[in-house]
């Protein structure tokens, strides 16, 4: 692949990722979740399974512990998460989603489905599944680092 082709592919992927992030955030806000930013969604993705410490969240987001702590302060203040004693480490606090945080996460899933639905309408379901599978081969699921 020539350099210009690689740059065109890179630009297309970044454009799609940016547009998808924007559409999901718009969908979340349209569903009544005010004051939510894409960075919150990236944090919610890490907190969703079983909660996380600020240190875990910082590693997931690729930021300092101080930045992650500030983000946690913000989502706690907005009612999307809460701090609890860590069940295995008395020195640590576990940050978990509240019911409002879970509802916001479900709203993001609905918005993502709508955005991907537009791709299905354009490319067809088989092509979108193939795209998901191919992208999964080169970018396996794991920490999703936001573009700040």
């Amino acid at each position: 692949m020539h350099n210009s082709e690689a740059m065109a592919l890179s630009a297309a992927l970044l454009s799609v990722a940016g547009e998808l992030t924007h559409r999901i955030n718009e969908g979340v806000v349209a569903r009544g979740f005010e004051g939510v930013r894409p960075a919150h969604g990236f944090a919610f993705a890490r907190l969703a399974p079983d909660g996380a410490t600020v240190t875990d969240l910082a590693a997931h987001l690729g930021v300092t512990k101080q930045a992650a702590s500030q983000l946690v302060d913000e989502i706690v203040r907005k009612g999307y998460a809460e701090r609890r004693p860590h069940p295995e480490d008395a020195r640590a606090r576990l940050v978990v989603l509240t019911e409002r945080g879970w509802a916001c996460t479900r709203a993001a899933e609905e918005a993502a489905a709508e955005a991907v639905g537009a791709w299905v309408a354009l490319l067809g379901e088989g092509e979108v599944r193939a795209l998901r599978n191919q992208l999964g081969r080169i970018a396996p699921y794991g920490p999703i680092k936001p573009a700040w």
Side-chain angles (χ1 to χ4, degrees):
M1 181 172 275
H2 297 288
N3 288 351
S4 60
E5 291 173 314
M7 283 303 296
L9 175 60
S10 298
L13 286 170
L14 290 169
S15 176
V16 167
E19 179 63 19
L20 180 60
T21 300
H22 178 74
R23 300 247 338 251
I24 291 170
N25 193 66
E26 277 187 336
V28 167
V29 171
R31 287 167 172 81
F33 296 94
E34 297 292 326
V36 178
R37 298 179 288 123
H40 298 139
F42 290 109
F44 291 2
R46 175 61 183 90
L47 299 176
D50 299 307
T53 65
V54 169
T55 301
D56 295 333
L57 189 58
H60 174 78
L61 297 174
V63 300
T64 64
K65 286 194 279 187
Q66 181 181 6
S69 183
Q70 290 172 349
L71 183 68
V72 168
D73 288 345
E74 185 179 359
I75 62 176
V76 166
R77 189 173 53 255
K78 292 180 178 187
Y80 293 107
E82 64 185 14
R83 291 180 179 90
R84 294 184 181 163
H86 196 289
E88 299 167 7
D89 184 351
R91 297 169 297 157
R93 303 282 290 164
L94 195 63
V95 181
V96 297
L97 293 178
T98 61
E99 183 50 44
R100 179 173 167 80
W102 282 107
C104 186
T105 299
R106 289 187 296 273
E109 290 173 356
E110 292 169 5
E114 288 174 2
V116 172
W119 301 352
V120 170
L122 181 65
L123 301 174
E125 194 167 325
E127 288 292 322
V128 171
R129 278 202 176 103
L131 176 63
R132 180 200 63 204
N133 292 339
Q134 293 292 359
L135 289 173
R137 289 178 60 202
I138 58 175
Y141 298 110
I144 302 172
K145 298 191 183 343
W148 301 95

